[in-house]
Amino acid sequence: MLDQRWVFHKDTEPQKGGKGVVRRILAYSEDLMCVENTFETGAVGALHHHPHTQITYVVSGEFEFEIDGEKKIVKAGDSMLKTNEVVHGCTCLKAGILLDIFTPMRKDFVS
């Protein structure tokens, strides 16, 4: 799906992103990637880091995020910037959806 101009949600493959998390790879190029993550209440995005800059937009739900040791509660409409290699993770407090934008693309998500 690299460089695919139109990506319809119904055509994306759900992938296990962790217990209680479903990941869908949406549109992407070598330089940019859009990923939807659907979380069940209580699901955890374990603390991790990667060599990509990431913006997360909260589509729905409520999450406690930790970024570089700082914790905050975020809700629909909120967004976060995570620069490359910064440690981050979250716990889903109310079921919801996160939209992640990565630069460059996450090759580990498609290989």
Side-chain angles (χ1 to χ4, degrees):
M1 292 185 16
L2 177 69
D3 294 327
Q4 186 172 331
R5 188 171 305 263
W6 302 95
V7 178
F8 296 98
H9 195 268
K10 67 178 180 64
D11 297 331
T12 63
E13 291 291 325
Q15 303 171 359
K16 188 170 177 92
K19 185 177 179 188
V21 181
V22 174
R23 174 189 303 144
R24 287 181 183 268
I25 308 301
L26 305 176
Y28 67 96
S29 68
E30 289 284 336
D31 299 325
L32 192 63
M33 176 179 262
C34 186
V35 177
E36 176 192 82
N37 294 288
T38 302
F39 280 74
E40 296 176 3
T41 299
V44 173
L47 288 173
H48 66 286
H49 62 90
H50 43 72
H52 310 84
T53 294
Q54 175 182 352
I55 291 176
T56 298
Y57 175 78
V58 183
V59 176
S60 62
E62 185 174 313
F63 299 81
E64 179 182 66
F65 259 87
E66 181 174 337
I67 303 172
D68 202 20
E70 182 177 10
K71 291 184 180 182
K72 293 200 183 273
I73 305 295
V74 295
K75 299 177 182 181
D78 295 335
S79 59
M80 296 140 284
L81 172 66
K82 294 162 261 178
T83 52
N84 57 332
E85 299 300 347
V86 71
V87 175
H88 60 280
C90 70
T91 300
C92 182
L93 304 176
K94 291 182 185 173
I97 297 173
L98 300 176
L99 189 66
D100 288 327
I101 307 297
F102 297 97
T103 183
M105 70 170 276
R106 293 285 304 262
K107 290 183 180 179
D108 56 317
F109 282 4
V110 295
S111 52

